[in-house]
């Protein structure tokens, strides 16, 4: 089973690729759900975060809450 993997055809991969195509851009959870045809966006984001660490990729997903709305953006991790 490949649930949550970003190196195979999963909802987590679709979320990652969508955010990756928009580096630094805030994307609402609604937009992510609609554009990636997925549900449980926060779960998909958590899966992507886990995969980024597992694969050692220099990226992270930032979450910003404005009122009751959540926004996400993919950022490169700068080496110190």
């Amino acid at each position: 089973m490949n649930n949550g993997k970003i190196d195979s055809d999963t909802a987590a991969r679709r979320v990652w690729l969508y955010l990756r195509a928009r580096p630094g851009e805030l994307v609402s959870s609604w937009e992510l759900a609609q554009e990636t045809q997925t549900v449980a966006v926060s779960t998909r984001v958590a899966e992507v975060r886990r995969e980024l660490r597992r694969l050692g990729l220099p990226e992270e997903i930032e979450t910003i809450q404005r009122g009751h709305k959540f926004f996400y953006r993919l950022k490169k991790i700068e080496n110190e």
Side-chain angles (χ1 to χ4, degrees):
M1 182 175 279
N2 293 318
N3 288 344
K5 302 286 185 188
I6 61 173
D7 50 2
S8 57
D9 185 25
T10 63
R13 179 180 176 84
R14 292 193 306 271
V15 166
W16 175 58
L17 292 175
Y18 190 80
L19 291 173
R20 197 168 198 212
R22 292 152 187 79
E25 181 182 325
L26 283 178
V27 177
S28 72
S29 56
W30 174 258
E31 180 181 345
L32 266 180
Q34 295 301 303
E35 296 297 326
T36 62
Q37 295 294 295
T38 190
V39 295
V41 169
S42 62
T43 299
R44 302 293 83 83
V45 167
E47 291 170 344
V48 172
R49 286 181 173 136
R50 184 188 69 233
E51 285 291 286
L52 293 175
R53 287 190 302 272
R54 180 182 73 85
L55 296 171
L57 296 176
E59 300 171 327
E60 64 184 2
I61 296 179
E62 180 180 24
T63 302
I64 296 173
Q65 183 177 359
R66 294 183 179 157
H68 295 290
K69 297 180 181 180
F70 287 86
F71 298 84
Y72 303 95
R73 70 174 150 208
L74 190 67
K75 296 171 43 177
K76 293 283 185 188
I77 296 173
E78 301 295 328
N79 291 332
E80 296 177 19

